[in-house]
Amino acid sequence: DKNQLTPLETVENNQRNNILTNAIESLSEREQYIINYYYNLNNYTFLGLSKIAKDLGISRERVRQIRIKIMEKLKTKLEESGVTSVNSY
């Protein structure tokens, strides 16, 4: 099957996921809230910018700005850990 990963690809994916999980855990609680709900990570239900903003008592624009900074932080942490295939957000 063309779509099946090789054992090496599976190991690499697991390592990348562990690095990402550790990077997310290093974020502040507010940053984790935003990233988990906005990107539907870790079994969190997707929430849009407006709902996240309302929950946190900040503007939708501020949530957007924080999300961008979070993505920059995560990208840097992944690159520092040797993950090379980091896509733009």
Side-chain angles (χ1 to χ4, degrees), residues 1-41:
D1 183 7
K2 290 186 218 176
N3 295 327
Q4 188 171 2
L5 298 176
T6 67
L8 180 58
E9 289 171 328
T10 301
V11 169
E12 288 173 345
N13 281 347
N14 288 340
Q15 287 175 332
R16 205 174 359 256
N17 287 339
N18 288 338
I19 292 167
L20 181 58
T21 298
N22 290 336
I24 290 171
E25 289 174 352
S26 74
L27 299 171
S28 71
E29 283 186 38
R30 179 169 80 165
E31 290 171 330
Q32 286 183 41
Y33 182 92
I34 291 169
I35 205 75
N36 282 321
Y37 279 106
Y38 188 80
Y39 288 104
N40 197 27
L41 301 175

Side-chain angles (χ1 to χ4, degrees), residues 1-87:
D1 183 7
K2 290 186 218 176
N3 295 327
Q4 188 171 2
L5 298 176
T6 67
L8 180 58
E9 289 171 328
T10 301
V11 169
E12 288 173 345
N13 281 347
N14 288 340
Q15 287 175 332
R16 205 174 359 256
N17 287 339
N18 288 338
I19 292 167
L20 181 58
T21 298
N22 290 336
I24 290 171
E25 289 174 352
S26 74
L27 299 171
S28 71
E29 283 186 38
R30 179 169 80 165
E31 290 171 330
Q32 286 183 41
Y33 182 92
I34 291 169
I35 205 75
N36 282 321
Y37 279 106
Y38 188 80
Y39 288 104
N40 197 27
L41 301 175
N42 301 315
N43 297 318
Y44 285 76
T45 302
F46 169 78
L47 298 178
L49 293 176
S50 297
K51 176 65 173 136
I52 293 170
K54 182 178 178 185
D55 290 351
L56 296 176
I58 58 178
S59 72
R60 185 178 184 274
E61 175 61 16
R62 185 66 187 132
V63 172
R64 188 191 67 76
Q65 293 168 355
I66 293 169
R67 182 191 61 82
I68 290 170
K69 287 183 189 251
I70 293 167
M71 296 307 294
E72 290 169 356
K73 282 184 184 181
L74 293 176
K75 181 177 180 182
T76 299
K77 287 183 183 286
L78 290 172
E79 288 172 347
E80 287 171 355
S81 298
V83 175
T84 56
S85 60
V86 178
N87 296 327

